[in-house]
Amino acid sequence: MSPPYGRAIFHRLNRAISDVQTIETSDALRAMIAAWRAAGEGIALVPTMGNLHAGHWELLKVARGLAKRVVVSIFVNPAQFGAGEDFAGYPRTPLEDAEGLRARGADVLFMPTAQVMYPAAVQSMSFVEVPGLSGELCGAFRPGHFRGVATIVCKLFNLVQPDVAVFGEKDYQQLIIIRRMVADLDFPIRIQGVPTVREADGLAMSSRNAYLEPAERARASQLYRSLREAESAIRQGDRNFRALERQFLQRLEERGFRPDYFSIRRSEDLEVAERDHKSVIILVAAWLGKARLIDNMKLELR
Ligand code: PAF
């Protein structure tokens, strides 16, 4: 079974990260977890698809504060990409990721191959489906995406058996779906959300920002600006959420985006927001060139 980035890269990885152990098989991972458990040590998991950036470093920092041991997983999960999506082109930077983890102090980098995670064809394996919400918002535009996410996260939970798992709030729908899965399937795991880390101009950090051409990058912060403008309208008392959604879809188009959705939902469960809801979240997904950007903003209302 060959490692995900080739044998040569794997050896270079282990040289690059003397104090972060890189593990590629589930047996080796389980042995490490068992040793930590025998020593009574708590475990945090930070699941990622690699190409680590400041947003991921924040997840790691939070994880470090929550448990003695931190496992960071890097796996570009084919099951959460649809046909024609960017699985093949998704940025893969294992050496830089490993170096960043070494500098910031993770205990284990779990970097399994597709064969380790999916020994049979993905379509013929068992899966986890969180009904309802998985078909809305991003799920409506990326059919099967959240099934792929729930399944891989479930597998990682079974392998690592963490006390806590840390996820970014930028992927807010993913966070809510994972919380639902954990509650529905009785995982004894705390799910910790971490606020979005932004570039100086407000653009949410994301590996997919690398797809933006310079002119698109200059324009991309208008997504955040649109969220701030909608936030301001709601704070000033506008509760006609459906009209706001229509207005901001149009504004995004005028600003050069191809929006998938602009939606105002109840924060706790992503039900469609009503005027008497006390905590709402504005969620947006929009294309700019080849990049599909997502972002959100939560508001507590009196
Ligand atoms: O958020 C991500 O990077 C991925 O969806 C996750 C949670 C690592 C599952 O592949």
Side-chain angles (χ1 to χ4, degrees):
M1 213 173 280
S2 63
Y5 299 95
R7 181 62 57 191
I9 294 261
F10 190 72
H11 289 315
R12 280 171 68 200
L13 273 174
N14 266 330
R15 273 206 304 278
I17 47 172
S18 48
D19 46 0
V20 183
Q21 194 171 344
T22 302
I23 290 181
E24 56 174 336
T25 66
S26 35
D27 286 349
L29 181 66
R30 283 188 198 281
M32 178 58 91
I33 300 293
W36 290 342
R37 285 292 178 211
E41 295 171 343
I43 300 170
L45 169 66
V46 183
T48 82
M49 297 205 301
N51 190 233
L52 305 179
H53 51 64
H56 297 109
W57 305 140
E58 192 60 24
L59 303 184
L60 177 58
K61 192 170 106 193
V62 169
R64 272 251 152 276
L66 293 174
K68 170 113 173 73
R69 298 295 186 178
V70 177
V71 177
V72 175
S73 64
I74 294 183
F75 180 64
V76 185
N77 173 31
Q80 69 187 75
F81 291 78
E85 290 191 351
D86 56 341
F87 174 68
Y90 194 85
R92 290 159 169 87
T93 51
L95 287 172
E96 292 83 346
D97 293 349
E99 185 51 41
L101 289 172
R102 187 198 57 74
R104 291 165 182 85
D107 294 286
V108 159
L109 166 56
F110 180 51
M111 224 168 56
T113 59
Q115 276 162 306
V116 166
M117 297 314 276
Y118 299 113
V122 172
Q123 315 82 275
S124 66
M125 288 189 62
S126 305
F127 59 83
V128 179
E129 179 108 50
V130 178
L133 190 52
S134 293
E136 297 180 30
L137 301 167
C138 282
F141 293 88
R142 305 185 65 192
H145 169 68
F146 287 115
R147 175 204 277 201
V149 170
T151 303
I152 199 70
V153 170
C154 183
K155 285 168 74 67
L156 288 167
F157 284 179
N158 283 329
L159 287 167
V160 178
Q161 302 195 359
D163 301 287
V164 56
V166 182
F167 294 86
E169 289 180 356
K170 182 178 79 70
D171 297 283
Y172 194 82
Q173 186 179 6
Q174 168 174 280
L175 178 64
I176 297 297
I177 285 174
I178 288 165
R179 286 208 166 113
R180 269 272 311 281
M181 178 186 82
V182 161
D184 289 354
L185 301 182
D186 301 308
F187 279 104
I189 299 174
R190 167 176 162 196
I191 302 301
Q192 180 66 49
V194 175
T196 303
V197 177
R198 298 181 181 281
E199 304 278 1
D201 66 356
L203 177 66
M205 296 260 182
S206 164
S207 301
R208 291 191 167 100
N209 293 349
Y211 300 159
L212 294 166
E213 300 293 343
E216 292 162 352
R217 173 62 192 86
R219 174 181 297 196
S221 63
Q222 304 263 339
L223 197 67
Y224 180 61
R225 183 176 157 206
S226 305
L227 286 173
R228 295 290 302 267
E229 289 167 351
E231 178 202 19
S232 163
I234 296 170
R235 287 208 187 285
Q236 283 166 34
D238 191 339
R239 293 290 184 277
N240 193 342
F241 295 140
R242 303 296 85 75
L244 278 171
E245 288 166 353
R246 284 193 297 275
Q247 179 188 331
F248 276 93
L249 276 177
Q250 190 179 335
R251 197 171 294 186
L252 282 170
E253 278 171 15
E254 287 160 7
R255 290 176 171 168
F257 293 84
R258 286 174 289 124
D260 278 350
Y261 61 81
F262 190 98
S263 188
I264 305 170
R265 301 281 176 128
R266 182 164 65 184
S267 309
E268 64 178 280
D269 52 8
L270 294 182
E271 287 289 314
V272 171
E274 304 295 347
R275 51 178 60 242
D276 60 331
H277 288 165
K278 297 286 176 282
S279 177
V280 301
I281 182 162
I282 314 165
L283 303 118
V284 64
W287 289 87
L288 200 52
K290 288 194 297 236
R292 184 176 187 274
L293 306 174
I294 60 171
D295 203 350
N296 62 72
M297 188 169 293
K298 209 163 161 183
L299 290 88
E300 304 306 325
L301 303 172
R302 257 174 271 154

